[in-house]
Amino acid sequence: MQFEQLVKEYLLELKLGNYSKRTMETYEQHIGKFIDFYRKEICKEMDIYAINKMHYKLFISQLLDNSLRATYINAILKSNRAFYSYLIREQVLKTSPMDSIKLLKETKQALTTFNDDEVKAMLNVWNFNTYLNARNKCIIAVLADTGIRISEIINIKDSDLTDQYIRVLGKGDKWRVVPISNELNYLLTKYKRLRDNHFNKIRNRNGKVRELDSELFLGKTGRSIKTITNIEVMITQTGLQANVRASVRCSPHQFRHYWTCKSLELGQDIFTISKLLGHTNLSTTQIYLQKLTNEQLISKAVKFSPLKHLK
């Protein structure tokens, strides 16, 4: 049975399961890496029944030779493992060639994220002189002020925004609210005025005002932003212009790290942070506690001293 055809069937199963487009693309990419390896190193024709654990061991060896991080290799293996679990559920296979394949030991790396000066510099790269400049400035402001995912930002509609919070549709189609500061509310109010004026000046050939999509952030034609690739490129370029340290990966997700570390530093409790981030498991949020220095921990603890607050 052809491997690639089964992969297409599996991806369709994910789509019917309401997985996000980005998640499906990740699974397809990870499984595709094994397909590329197998067809180049083992055999051009891929028979699902001919694949065994030795092929996956050789695959892992090649990934290691390419100096890929253990965390990334493990993500690839997990995607392939999930694919085989589907095949077993569908009774295509009785066992998985990955049953005895262990994940690699991951080295915990110190979390390094933006500092305040870098965030200020990135915000200052953009202004309100044009629509796209204003949009880019506000996207960065929302990322820094709320910690929400970039995939969540591009789906925010005007109706989800209030003066005090944003309604966010997160993973698993779960809604949550995240507060916004007065500073961010001001920027967004100014942005919406500029956006509406900008698109009101753009006329179609028949002379009618162009109909806009309902999302808060739009592309240059007034349509919703379909993929996050262009925004990722914009943020990378913004980081270069703002002279962000080379040791910090300039990406949308990095703002999520920045917001979390900054919130902890300012005294926000881990449970509230986890809820605002949309984490389903507190352990996902707890990794950020390693970022706090001893001085910061002492400063936070003194504020909550029982003796200091005796009545």
Side-chain angles (χ1 to χ4, degrees):
M1 190 175 291
Q2 290 296 317
F3 192 94
E4 292 94 331
Q5 186 59 39
L6 290 167
V7 172
K8 290 181 180 178
E9 181 182 316
Y10 173 58
L11 293 174
L12 181 57
E13 173 77 6
L14 294 181
K15 185 176 183 179
L16 294 175
N18 204 28
Y19 281 73
S20 70
K21 182 179 178 181
R22 187 163 179 82
T23 297
M24 290 187 291
E25 288 174 347
T26 300
Y27 274 84
E28 185 175 17
Q29 182 187 60
H30 289 171
I31 299 171
K33 287 187 178 296
F34 177 73
I35 293 175
D36 293 340
F37 160 79
Y38 191 92
R39 296 178 72 174
K40 184 181 293 186
E41 304 294 338
I42 309 299
C43 182
K44 290 185 178 180
E45 296 298 324
M46 294 189 69
D47 185 347
I48 192 69
Y49 301 117
I51 297 171
N52 58 53
K53 65 179 180 181
M54 183 54 65
H55 297 145
Y56 270 96
K57 288 184 177 181
L58 291 171
F59 175 52
I60 295 171
S61 177
Q62 185 186 83
L63 295 176
L64 288 169
D65 289 342
N66 291 335
S67 300
L68 297 176
R69 292 182 300 169
T71 50
Y72 182 53
I73 295 175
N74 284 342
I76 293 173
L77 296 179
K78 289 175 183 177
S79 295
N80 279 267
R81 184 175 288 173
F83 168 58
Y84 279 104
S85 295
Y86 167 76
L87 296 182
I88 292 173
R89 290 197 305 271
E90 292 297 309
Q91 299 182 345
V92 175
L93 296 174
K94 291 184 178 179
T95 60
S96 166
M98 299 195 69
D99 283 343
S100 60
I101 300 295
K102 296 181 179 180
L103 298 179
L104 302 180
K105 183 177 180 181
E106 299 180 6
T107 302
K108 293 184 178 180
Q109 298 180 335
L111 181 62
T112 303
T113 189
F114 303 127
N115 57 41
D116 290 348
D117 288 337
E118 288 168 336
V119 172
K120 289 179 184 176
M122 282 188 283
L123 284 168
N124 289 333
V125 166
W126 305 101
N127 52 43
F128 282 90
N129 290 344
T130 67
Y131 164 67
L132 288 179
N133 277 3
R135 186 202 67 180
N136 293 345
K137 184 183 187 75
C138 286
I139 285 176
I140 291 175
V142 171
L143 287 169
D145 199 51
T146 66
I148 65 178
R149 303 175 179 92
I150 190 63
S151 58
E152 296 169 340
I153 282 183
I154 63 175
N155 290 316
I156 294 173
K157 300 181 184 298
D158 277 11
S159 58
D160 296 326
L161 184 66
T162 75
D163 291 345
Q164 296 180 314
Y165 64 85
I166 303 174
R167 291 178 70 245
V168 176
L169 182 61
K171 288 185 176 181
D173 286 339
K174 294 180 179 179
W175 287 96
R176 70 183 190 280
V177 296
V178 293
I180 62 174
S181 63
N182 291 333
E183 290 77 7
L184 178 57
N185 183 37
Y186 168 75
L187 291 176
L188 290 176
T189 301
K190 187 175 180 180
Y191 157 75
K192 286 196 295 181
R193 173 175 57 80
L194 189 149
R195 178 199 64 187
D196 294 343
N197 288 338
H198 168 76
F199 285 111
N200 281 337
K201 294 177 182 178
I202 299 177
R203 304 283 174 172
N204 291 325
R205 291 181 180 177
N206 58 11
K208 293 183 179 180
V209 176
R210 184 187 298 268
E211 185 177 348
L212 303 181
D213 283 344
S214 58
E215 280 74 19
L216 175 64
F217 296 114
L218 302 170
K220 61 182 179 181
T221 65
R223 299 304 178 198
S224 60
I225 301 171
K226 302 300 182 184
T227 66
I228 65 173
T229 303
N230 289 340
I231 296 178
E232 289 176 329
V233 172
M234 178 273 289
I235 289 176
T236 299
Q237 293 174 342
T238 301
L240 291 173
Q241 294 180 62
N243 293 317
V244 172
R245 288 162 294 159
S247 59
V248 180
R249 182 171 179 266
C250 205
S251 68
H253 201 73
Q254 194 67 246
F255 282 97
R256 197 162 161 84
H257 297 325
Y258 166 79
W259 179 88
T260 308
C261 293
K262 190 68 179 178
S263 296
L264 283 169
E265 180 184 329
L266 292 172
Q268 185 63 273
D269 66 272
I270 193 73
F271 300 101
T272 300
I273 289 173
S274 183
K275 187 78 171 177
L276 293 175
L277 287 172
H279 286 165
T280 56
N281 194 324
L282 185 62
S283 62
T284 308
T285 317
Q286 286 175 328
I287 61 172
Y288 292 99
L289 293 174
Q290 302 171 9
K291 180 69 176 176
L292 290 176
T293 65
N294 288 338
E295 291 77 9
Q296 289 170 330
L297 286 171
I298 292 170
S299 176
K300 284 167 60 67
V302 166
K303 295 179 182 178
F304 301 100
S305 164
L307 289 180
K308 184 178 180 179
H309 293 87
L310 283 177
K311 295 180 179 179

